[in-house]
Amino acid sequence: MEEWVGLKWHDYVTRQAMGEFPEYAVHLKDEARTLGVLFRAMGGDPALSLVTAEPRHFQIRRKFLQKLAGTHRKFELAWRDEESLRLPDRLALFPSRKVNRELYLWLAALASLGEINHHSWLKGNQAMVQQLLERWPGLEPMYQRLVKHTLRWRPEPESLRGSEAEREAAIRQALIHPGSVDDLPDALTDPWPVVLWLYPVLGRGKLKGQIIGDDNTMSKSGGLAKKRKRRRAERVDAFDKDQGLMLFRLESLFSWSEFIPIDRAGDDSEEEDADAVADDMDMISVSQDRREASSAIKFDLDLPSEENDDLHLGPGIHLPEWDWRRQDYREKFCCLQPLLSKDAVPSPLPEHLNRSAQTLRRQFSALKPLRQWERRQLEGEELDLDACLERMVQHKRGIGEVDQKLFRQCKQNQRDLACLVLTDISLSTDTYINNHQRVIDIARDGLQLLSEALTASRDPFALFAFSSRRRDHIRFHHIKSFEEQYNDTTRGRIQALEPGYYTRMGAAIRQSIKLLQARPEHQKILLLLTDGKPNDLDLYEGRYGVEDTRMAVQEAHKAGLTPFCVTIDEEANEYLPYVFGSSNFVVIKDPTQLPGQLPKLYMNLTR
């Protein structure tokens, strides 16, 4: 009973202290699509992801009830960096759902103008507000409504003392008349957060967030992706599991609920509620404990020795990479190594694929070249009777110029296209689907069935796979070239594919472009199969990897190729529209359907 009363009292005090209006709350996940469209329509960077903002700590002067409830120490405020626009996960500051939603719209519009740094927070925000209202005068009524409600939410200057009151009055003036305040008076506490303004980048390191979607770099469903929140951390001494609950110092008992022994090298922790507990923690303590390190290591990402590695086909190929920060290429920045599996053994088509393969061969055989007669030729295998009759009629009528094309010739009607299939075999393909089949197994089956279909249609095709470990070792596995026949040797190479390393897509795509450009066919298709976002151990992650891949795809378009991506990544809608375009990719929601869907996608793509 006492615990129940305590919980009710805590909920009541917290609700009274927060000063919010939960019944009028607006959530970012519901507004993500609209905000994404608005942000880009007003000139914002289309490569930015929409992400929930991490709470910032403020030392403001709080009321007694706020101190009692422990609230108003952290605030989610809007800001942006090179990779993302960060907005509060939920807004319930004002007693109107419409005004709370307008706050989201205003922040997205303001962020479209650029970033804010620490040195120009006050002047920069005022200047951006002026610029936005000058460019889009229709936003003026909405801004005035937001200012009116914001001033009611903020503390009155009369309730503060000395320099704090002067500072609050100056902020109010800056909100009402943007550009009228040059500086703020110094005070011992932080100023009350200004929810209508952008804030500088939080911290110096790379930040991860909770990604929201819309129709470009955000998910079309508008749903939430996996949470990746940023936490403060401290290093502590190793935790002795044998001590039990009674630690050496009695006062440590008060922090026991905030300590979790995290095994950094393993992914099979028995703490079922670890994610929920960590989500509520402000600081995570990390300790080093090497006593059981050898038993926790699951794999080794070091490259294999030369005698145990696949066969190297040449010394390596140096390729450029696009650096979006410099807006220029880094020439000869990557080294791509063509490889041929030495463990591959010629093998027939797996038995479980025989039935599907027979169906596909029958369907795709209708696409193979057909022999057709071409009439009215100057030379050919047979006389064209219709042309001969017309010539006799013209001769009897005395027509001077007589048609000399009296033959017909049988020619083969060719499908003038070539396809290169590029498969991602990074370490993420070792993941199990439904606890019984790995992604790499599904990808192998898909390659086998697609190859059977393309062989039946007689379309020239090549198969390659890739993975990477930093820029100086990009593994490009040779499975089948355009000149090779598809046979048991090729099937054995497909079955020998194993997952490993990372996903440096840009270099693999550029090498595929070179191979396709050498083909004489008119239509050239680059079909990419992947299960995740571009990434690698070095700087090739986040926006850097996405931008390089996007530039490689643009190079493919300029070369006259048709790049198309097939993925099973659930979060692909966050970045693939930006990389490949809205109509040049497809997401297979059920990975087990990939083998059957892949030939159908190819048929639709080449029809």
Side-chain angles (χ1 to χ4, degrees), residues 116-131 174 178-184 197:
I116 286 290
N117 58 52
H118 290 274
H119 303 292
S120 63
W121 175 74
L122 178 66
K123 291 184 178 180
N125 272 294
Q126 293 182 82
M128 289 173 63
V129 171
Q130 288 180 304
Q131 181 181 352
S180 61
V181 179
D182 295 330
D183 200 3
L184 295 178
W197 288 353

Side-chain angles (χ1 to χ4, degrees), residues 436-480:
H436 70 277
Q437 195 174 20
R438 295 184 302 168
V439 173
I440 188 66
D441 300 327
I442 297 173
R444 288 199 204 106
D445 291 349
L447 288 178
Q448 297 276 22
L449 291 181
L450 180 60
S451 299
E452 295 289 334
L454 294 182
T455 302
S457 69
R458 297 186 186 178
D459 291 339
F461 71 99
L463 304 176
F464 293 90
F466 75 98
S467 61
S468 66
R469 191 178 189 274
R470 296 192 173 93
R471 65 184 179 91
D472 55 350
H473 191 88
I474 301 168
R475 303 168 68 85
F476 197 71
H477 295 262
H478 177 103
I479 303 174
K480 177 191 174 301

Side-chain angles (χ1 to χ4, degrees), residues 373-388 391 403-410:
W373 289 100
E374 293 189 1
R375 300 175 61 245
R376 299 184 181 276
Q377 302 296 313
L378 289 175
E379 56 184 19
E381 303 170 8
E382 298 179 0
L383 286 172
D384 187 342
L385 296 180
D386 292 337
C388 291
R391 178 175 178 177
D403 190 359
Q404 301 297 325
K405 298 178 181 180
L406 304 177
F407 298 89
R408 68 173 188 167
Q409 187 175 16
C410 189

Side-chain angles (χ1 to χ4, degrees), residues 94-104 145-146 149:
F94 310 133
S96 168
R97 182 178 178 82
K98 174 186 175 182
V99 179
N100 286 323
R101 184 174 182 271
E102 286 180 341
L103 180 54
Y104 268 137
R145 280 195 300 273
L146 290 171
H149 284 83

